[in-house]
Amino acid sequence: MSILLFVILLIILWQGFYWLMVDLLEIFKSYSFPSPLGVGERLVALCSDGSLLEATGQSLLRGVAGYAIAVLIGVALGLLINHFAYLQRNLKPVVLGVQTLPSVCWVPFSILWFGLSTQAILFVVVMGSAFGIAISVDNAIKNIDPIYVKAAKTMGAGRRQMYWNVILPASLPELVSGLKQGWSFAWRALMAGEVMTTSIGLGQTLIMGRDLADINQVMLVMIVIVAVGIVIDKCIFSVIEKRLLKKRGLC
């Protein structure tokens, strides 16, 4: 209830600021500053024809598909970097450097290689999140208490047993945090890919609002993007984190 009241208060303050800066003082033009009422009107219009729901669904499908591929690549790369000292010394700095690249930097490559297609968007998503996941996997394994590994070796655990029965369970909380961060990278990269293509999605809906000089539609899409990110975090990653911490008696 407190969150709902806080959101209502923000909307009231936002509408009051709009009336003051646009209607009363005329500092901003109505086409350059969004209002809650205008955003609400665009929400009703885009929901009525189903375009907002379709765009959100298409973006979620691409985001999940790209993220799944990024997880497979990132986890494999992270395990390799952690396991081989040569890759730890030489490849990890390269991965760290590539990770700092904004996702939009991969858009020209994706368009040249895949054209204006779904594959181009997926490529941007994968490149925007896989390297961050790889670093998270490596760090999660490194931060395991060494006593666990020493105890397992003392009891004669093999390499496979070490990973499945010791390393993986011990690193799960931090690994989930890394995967959650990887999802945020993937979601942002998805928007960067969609705004550069013609595929139906939230990114393209945002660009349509810009082209039509409809600032309320632009703001609506931004709110939807944030809302989807919050829902995914609260309903999936936060639930998994709480269960893992509770199982270990940490909450």
Side-chain angles (χ1 to χ4, degrees):
M1 182 60 69
S2 60
I3 296 178
L4 180 60
L5 291 175
F6 180 72
V7 172
I8 293 174
L9 177 61
L10 283 181
I11 294 174
I12 293 173
L13 291 175
W14 177 11
Q15 186 64 52
F17 187 79
Y18 176 85
W19 282 334
L20 176 66
M21 304 301 288
V22 176
D23 296 334
L24 184 61
L25 300 179
E26 297 183 351
I27 295 177
F28 297 110
K29 301 297 182 182
S30 60
Y31 60 80
S32 65
F33 196 89
S35 70
L37 293 177
V39 171
E41 290 175 358
R42 292 307 301 153
L43 174 62
V44 172
L46 292 178
C47 286
S48 298
D49 60 13
S51 58
L52 183 61
L53 181 61
E54 182 182 7
T56 304
Q58 291 291 337
S59 291
L60 274 173
L61 287 175
R62 295 191 194 101
V64 171
Y67 176 68
I69 298 172
V71 168
L72 293 176
I73 296 175
V75 169
L77 184 59
L79 291 174
L80 289 173
I81 290 175
N82 181 266
H83 187 73
F84 295 101
Y86 179 82
L87 297 180
Q88 184 73 220
R89 291 192 306 269
N90 299 283
L91 181 59
K92 186 175 181 179
V94 176
V95 174
L96 282 169
V98 174
Q99 182 194 8
T100 62
L101 280 174
S103 301
V104 70
C105 293
W106 296 106
V107 173
F109 285 98
S110 66
I111 294 176
L112 288 172
W113 292 346
F114 303 101
L116 299 176
S117 63
T118 300
Q119 289 80 1
I121 299 175
L122 293 178
F123 174 79
V124 175
V125 174
V126 172
M127 298 304 291
S129 58
F131 298 107
I133 293 173
I135 297 299
S136 297
V137 170
D138 179 51
N139 291 337
I141 296 175
K142 278 186 174 180
N143 292 332
I144 296 174
D145 192 334
I147 193 65
Y148 296 150
V149 177
K150 291 179 181 178
K153 288 182 178 179
T154 300
M155 290 184 287
R159 183 175 298 177
R160 181 175 298 179
Q161 290 177 312
M162 184 72 70
Y163 271 102
W164 283 107
N165 300 328
V166 180
I167 294 177
L168 181 60
S171 63
L172 266 180
E174 189 170 347
L175 184 59
V176 171
S177 296
L179 292 177
K180 178 171 71 173
Q181 186 180 43
W183 165 256
S184 67
F185 289 158
W187 189 239
R188 286 185 296 182
L190 175 67
M191 296 305 118
E194 285 189 343
V195 298
M196 299 294 179
T197 64
T198 57
S199 299
I200 297 175
L202 290 174
Q204 186 55 219
T205 306
L206 186 145
I207 292 301
M208 287 176 59
R210 182 204 64 182
D211 294 340
L212 296 172
D214 189 346
I215 194 66
N216 292 312
Q217 179 168 320
V218 172
M219 190 66 190
L220 171 62
V221 175
M222 292 173 63
I223 292 173
V224 172
I225 292 171
V226 172
V228 170
I230 293 174
V231 169
I232 294 294
D233 175 61
K234 295 298 182 182
C235 295
I236 298 178
F237 292 106
S238 293
V239 172
I240 295 175
E241 282 183 320
K242 287 180 180 179
R243 287 183 179 178
L244 287 174
L245 294 176
K246 187 176 181 180
K247 190 175 182 179
R248 287 164 170 74
L250 299 176
C251 69

PDB file of all heavy atoms in Angstrom, residues 1-11 230 234:
ATOM      1  N   MET A   1       0.828  -1.202   0.000  1.00  0.00           N
ATOM      2  CA  MET A   1       0.000   0.000   0.000  1.00  0.00           C
ATOM      3  C   MET A   1       0.864   1.254   0.000  1.00  0.00           C
ATOM      4  O   MET A   1       0.553   2.249  -0.657  1.00  0.00           O
ATOM      5  CB  MET A   1      -0.924  -0.007   1.235  1.00  0.00           C
ATOM      6  CG  MET A   1      -1.877   1.194   1.288  1.00  0.00           C
ATOM      7  SD  MET A   1      -2.991   1.277  -0.138  1.00  0.00           S
ATOM      8  CE  MET A   1      -4.029  -0.155   0.185  1.00  0.00           C
ATOM      9  N   SER A   2       1.980   1.220   0.742  1.00  0.00           N
ATOM     10  CA  SER A   2       2.856   2.393   0.814  1.00  0.00           C
ATOM     11  C   SER A   2       3.473   2.704  -0.549  1.00  0.00           C
ATOM     12  O   SER A   2       3.641   3.873  -0.903  1.00  0.00           O
ATOM     13  CB  SER A   2       3.955   2.169   1.854  1.00  0.00           C
ATOM     14  OG  SER A   2       4.739   1.033   1.518  1.00  0.00           O
ATOM     15  N   ILE A   3       3.791   1.642  -1.304  1.00  0.00           N
ATOM     16  CA  ILE A   3       4.345   1.846  -2.643  1.00  0.00           C
ATOM     17  C   ILE A   3       3.313   2.496  -3.563  1.00  0.00           C
ATOM     18  O   ILE A   3       3.630   3.410  -4.332  1.00  0.00           O
ATOM     19  CB  ILE A   3       4.829   0.503  -3.231  1.00  0.00           C
ATOM     20  CG1 ILE A   3       5.971  -0.068  -2.398  1.00  0.00           C
ATOM     21  CG2 ILE A   3       5.255   0.682  -4.680  1.00  0.00           C
ATOM     22  CD1 ILE A   3       6.470  -1.407  -2.870  1.00  0.00           C
ATOM     23  N   LEU A   4       2.052   2.035  -3.461  1.00  0.00           N
ATOM     24  CA  LEU A   4       0.977   2.607  -4.273  1.00  0.00           C
ATOM     25  C   LEU A   4       0.777   4.085  -3.951  1.00  0.00           C
ATOM     26  O   LEU A   4       0.625   4.915  -4.862  1.00  0.00           O
ATOM     27  CB  LEU A   4      -0.310   1.828  -4.050  1.00  0.00           C
ATOM     28  CG  LEU A   4      -1.548   2.304  -4.830  1.00  0.00           C
ATOM     29  CD1 LEU A   4      -1.290   2.225  -6.329  1.00  0.00           C
ATOM     30  CD2 LEU A   4      -2.767   1.480  -4.448  1.00  0.00           C
ATOM     31  N   LEU A   5       0.772   4.422  -2.668  1.00  0.00           N
ATOM     32  CA  LEU A   5       0.616   5.816  -2.269  1.00  0.00           C
ATOM     33  C   LEU A   5       1.779   6.663  -2.775  1.00  0.00           C
ATOM     34  O   LEU A   5       1.590   7.812  -3.193  1.00  0.00           O
ATOM     35  CB  LEU A   5       0.509   5.912  -0.751  1.00  0.00           C
ATOM     36  CG  LEU A   5      -0.773   5.342  -0.124  1.00  0.00           C
ATOM     37  CD1 LEU A   5      -0.693   5.403   1.390  1.00  0.00           C
ATOM     38  CD2 LEU A   5      -2.000   6.087  -0.633  1.00  0.00           C
ATOM     39  N   PHE A   6       2.983   6.087  -2.730  1.00  0.00           N
ATOM     40  CA  PHE A   6       4.161   6.814  -3.211  1.00  0.00           C
ATOM     41  C   PHE A   6       4.056   7.089  -4.707  1.00  0.00           C
ATOM     42  O   PHE A   6       4.365   8.193  -5.169  1.00  0.00           O
ATOM     43  CB  PHE A   6       5.419   6.006  -2.900  1.00  0.00           C
ATOM     44  CG  PHE A   6       6.692   6.671  -3.368  1.00  0.00           C
ATOM     45  CD1 PHE A   6       7.188   7.788  -2.721  1.00  0.00           C
ATOM     46  CD2 PHE A   6       7.384   6.177  -4.476  1.00  0.00           C
ATOM     47  CE1 PHE A   6       8.355   8.404  -3.147  1.00  0.00           C
ATOM     48  CE2 PHE A   6       8.536   6.789  -4.915  1.00  0.00           C
ATOM     49  CZ  PHE A   6       9.032   7.906  -4.238  1.00  0.00           C
ATOM     50  N   VAL A   7       3.598   6.096  -5.471  1.00  0.00           N
ATOM     51  CA  VAL A   7       3.431   6.265  -6.922  1.00  0.00           C
ATOM     52  C   VAL A   7       2.377   7.324  -7.211  1.00  0.00           C
ATOM     53  O   VAL A   7       2.553   8.179  -8.095  1.00  0.00           O
ATOM     54  CB  VAL A   7       3.072   4.922  -7.585  1.00  0.00           C
ATOM     55  CG1 VAL A   7       2.699   5.139  -9.044  1.00  0.00           C
ATOM     56  CG2 VAL A   7       4.219   3.940  -7.465  1.00  0.00           C
ATOM     57  N   ILE A   8       1.266   7.281  -6.474  1.00  0.00           N
ATOM     58  CA  ILE A   8       0.205   8.280  -6.662  1.00  0.00           C
ATOM     59  C   ILE A   8       0.732   9.678  -6.363  1.00  0.00           C
ATOM     60  O   ILE A   8       0.435  10.646  -7.088  1.00  0.00           O
ATOM     61  CB  ILE A   8      -1.005   7.951  -5.768  1.00  0.00           C
ATOM     62  CG1 ILE A   8      -1.673   6.659  -6.244  1.00  0.00           C
ATOM     63  CG2 ILE A   8      -2.017   9.106  -5.775  1.00  0.00           C
ATOM     64  CD1 ILE A   8      -2.792   6.177  -5.339  1.00  0.00           C
ATOM     65  N   LEU A   9       1.529   9.797  -5.312  1.00  0.00           N
ATOM     66  CA  LEU A   9       2.116  11.096  -4.963  1.00  0.00           C
ATOM     67  C   LEU A   9       3.031  11.596  -6.075  1.00  0.00           C
ATOM     68  O   LEU A   9       3.001  12.783  -6.434  1.00  0.00           O
ATOM     69  CB  LEU A   9       2.899  10.981  -3.646  1.00  0.00           C
ATOM     70  CG  LEU A   9       3.635  12.250  -3.171  1.00  0.00           C
ATOM     71  CD1 LEU A   9       2.645  13.376  -2.940  1.00  0.00           C
ATOM     72  CD2 LEU A   9       4.440  11.964  -1.916  1.00  0.00           C
ATOM     73  N   LEU A  10       3.829  10.698  -6.654  1.00  0.00           N
ATOM     74  CA  LEU A  10       4.711  11.084  -7.750  1.00  0.00           C
ATOM     75  C   LEU A  10       3.914  11.579  -8.955  1.00  0.00           C
ATOM     76  O   LEU A  10       4.283  12.571  -9.590  1.00  0.00           O
ATOM     77  CB  LEU A  10       5.591   9.891  -8.157  1.00  0.00           C
ATOM     78  CG  LEU A  10       6.776   9.546  -7.257  1.00  0.00           C
ATOM     79  CD1 LEU A  10       7.536   8.355  -7.835  1.00  0.00           C
ATOM     80  CD2 LEU A  10       7.719  10.738  -7.113  1.00  0.00           C
ATOM     81  N   ILE A  11       2.819  10.882  -9.263  1.00  0.00           N
ATOM     82  CA  ILE A  11       1.991  11.282 -10.400  1.00  0.00           C
ATOM     83  C   ILE A  11       1.367  12.658 -10.157  1.00  0.00           C
ATOM     84  O   ILE A  11       1.319  13.505 -11.062  1.00  0.00           O
ATOM     85  CB  ILE A  11       0.893  10.231 -10.660  1.00  0.00           C
ATOM     86  CG1 ILE A  11       1.529   8.921 -11.120  1.00  0.00           C
ATOM     87  CG2 ILE A  11      -0.109  10.729 -11.700  1.00  0.00           C
ATOM     88  CD1 ILE A  11       0.545   7.775 -11.277  1.00  0.00           C
ATOM     89  N   ILE A 230      11.237  -4.154 -13.648  1.00  0.00           N
ATOM     90  CA  ILE A 230      10.937  -4.324 -12.228  1.00  0.00           C
ATOM     91  C   ILE A 230      10.180  -5.618 -11.976  1.00  0.00           C
ATOM     92  O   ILE A 230      10.472  -6.361 -11.027  1.00  0.00           O
ATOM     93  CB  ILE A 230      10.129  -3.114 -11.713  1.00  0.00           C
ATOM     94  CG1 ILE A 230      10.996  -1.856 -11.731  1.00  0.00           C
ATOM     95  CG2 ILE A 230       9.607  -3.374 -10.301  1.00  0.00           C
ATOM     96  CD1 ILE A 230      10.251  -0.591 -11.369  1.00  0.00           C
ATOM     97  N   LYS A 234      11.426  -8.626  -9.567  1.00  0.00           N
ATOM     98  CA  LYS A 234      10.691  -8.967  -8.355  1.00  0.00           C
ATOM     99  C   LYS A 234      10.081 -10.361  -8.407  1.00  0.00           C
ATOM    100  O   LYS A 234      10.036 -11.065  -7.386  1.00  0.00           O
ATOM    101  CB  LYS A 234       9.587  -7.933  -8.120  1.00  0.00           C
ATOM    102  CG  LYS A 234      10.090  -6.526  -7.829  1.00  0.00           C
ATOM    103  CD  LYS A 234      10.916  -6.470  -6.558  1.00  0.00           C
ATOM    104  CE  LYS A 234      11.365  -5.056  -6.248  1.00  0.00           C
ATOM    105  NZ  LYS A 234      12.218  -4.996  -5.036  1.00  0.00           N
TER     106      LYS A 234
END
